Amino acid sequence: MESMPVSEPETKTEAKTALQPPWKVIVMNDPVNLMSYVVLVFRKVFGFDEPKARKHMLEVHEQGRSVLWAGPREIAENYVHQLHQWQLNAYLEKDEEN
Amino acid sequence: MKKIEVKLHRSLVAPLLDYLRELSVRAGTGGFPPQIKDTQSLDPEMAEIWEDELRNLGGDDRKQFFSLFGGQFIESGSIHLDEEQASAVLRSMAWFRLQIREKDLSEVPDEILEQGDLTLKGMSETEQKGYSAFVFLAALQEIVLEHLEPR
């Protein structure tokens, strides 16, 4: 009796880099903190130049929120912590789009 | 190092300082800024550690703020601060303003508070003190910000 040829199970190894989805650092508007104060905080925490800090501040003021940074969770958490030290309403959000 | 000197009217500022000292006690020792209502986006263990750090830093910041109003202020009405102190003082003023908003001006709509369209008439005594301190701190913050270069 002829045996059926046994085919070797095909093993396929695929290298996948487990990339974490980036996290966004978001600052919300509040009616208390001064605009010039918020600009200073953005410059100090993120190292933004004046125009970039001002652009984000205006976004917060006019749209209620601004995404200040996106990237690995650990770094994003550190930014949020610093923003809390400066009394800004900041939080982390998973960046589902990327 | 750049130094900032601000000349203040002692008899006007002294009652505001009393109010701010009393507010510090009333506000308790919560660490997160008062406008943050949930910390769910943070890892719970991490949130606890952060809150401790924020509490300690906030306490140190307020000490720096009140230290401005020592002997020199009592003598001449002037306060002095250098760039190193400025960050702590700015943060503490932001904290005070947020606490005033939360504790004593919670009835005021956001837009009115933002535009500064408030009159003391018709306000309770606590609200009057709160709003006066709120405006005083904003003016002081603006002076410091104007003379401070971010590092």
Side-chain angles (χ1 to χ4, degrees):
Chain A
M1 194 174 151
E2 224 176 302
S3 62
M4 293 282 287
V6 180
S7 62
E8 286 287 314
E10 217 176 277
T11 50
K12 218 175 182 182
T13 315
E14 206 176 309
K16 263 192 184 172
T17 315
L19 275 178
Q20 296 275 336
W23 288 76
K24 294 187 282 192
V25 175
I26 295 166
V27 171
M28 302 295 288
N29 190 31
D30 71 60
V32 173
N33 283 310
L34 303 174
M35 290 183 183
S36 49
Y37 175 78
V38 175
V39 170
L40 175 98
V41 175
F42 290 171
R43 292 185 71 181
K44 272 187 174 282
V45 173
F46 296 97
F48 292 166
D49 58 17
E50 169 88 24
K52 189 169 180 184
R54 186 158 284 280
K55 178 192 147 278
H56 281 286
M57 178 278 292
L58 286 173
E59 226 170 72
V60 171
H61 185 65
E62 286 159 10
Q63 293 164 35
R65 57 179 249 159
S66 178
V67 178
L68 273 292
W69 191 86
R73 176 162 181 136
E74 217 170 279
I75 301 171
E77 277 183 337
N78 189 272
Y79 279 134
V80 169
H81 187 44
Q82 286 187 63
L83 292 164
H84 286 170
Q85 290 174 349
W86 285 91
Q87 303 296 318
L88 295 193
N89 189 359
Y91 68 95
L92 280 176
E93 196 177 87
K94 205 180 264 185
D95 190 354
E96 305 288 2
E97 290 154 23
N98 291 298
Chain B
M1 185 182 289
K2 205 184 233 182
K3 283 204 169 200
I4 305 166
E5 181 183 352
V6 187
K7 185 96 176 145
L8 299 164
H9 204 298
R10 273 171 298 173
S11 60
L12 292 179
V13 172
L16 301 180
L17 294 174
D18 290 341
Y19 165 82
L20 293 174
R21 283 195 185 92
E22 180 268 331
L23 178 71
S24 284
V25 176
R26 204 157 29 106
T29 54
F32 287 102
Q35 75 274 41
I36 292 174
K37 301 299 178 204
D38 86 72
T39 52
Q40 279 181 351
S41 68
L42 305 174
D43 174 78
E45 234 173 81
M46 186 70 96
E48 212 174 294
I49 296 167
W50 279 13
E51 187 160 28
D52 276 346
E53 282 179 18
L54 291 168
R55 195 177 289 128
N56 293 334
L57 181 75
D60 291 345
D61 287 351
R62 287 191 286 287
K63 268 186 210 153
Q64 288 270 10
F65 173 80
F66 284 122
S67 75
L68 296 178
F69 302 91
Q72 215 161 10
F73 169 71
I74 294 164
E75 241 172 64
S76 64
S78 58
I79 59 168
H80 299 81
L81 73 157
D82 56 38
E83 280 179 323
E84 250 173 55
Q85 284 172 291
S87 292
V89 170
L90 282 169
R91 282 194 300 261
S92 69
M93 289 194 278
W95 182 87
F96 277 124
R97 281 169 45 82
L98 287 161
Q99 291 293 345
I100 295 169
R101 201 275 181 276
E102 183 88 355
K103 302 274 184 298
D104 294 333
L105 298 175
S106 58
E107 301 298 313
V108 181
D110 283 356
E111 314 76 61
I112 293 180
L113 194 64
E114 220 165 350
Q115 287 155 16
D117 275 351
L118 275 165
T119 50
L120 296 178
K121 209 177 158 190
M123 280 184 176
S124 71
E125 200 190 324
T126 311
E127 284 172 333
Q128 285 186 15
K129 280 184 191 169
Y131 188 58
S132 304
F134 190 82
V135 173
F136 162 66
L137 291 169
L140 197 51
Q141 262 193 328
E142 267 170 0
I143 293 169
V144 177
L145 285 163
E146 212 177 293
H147 294 90
L148 186 76
E149 274 300 306
R151 294 181 168 212

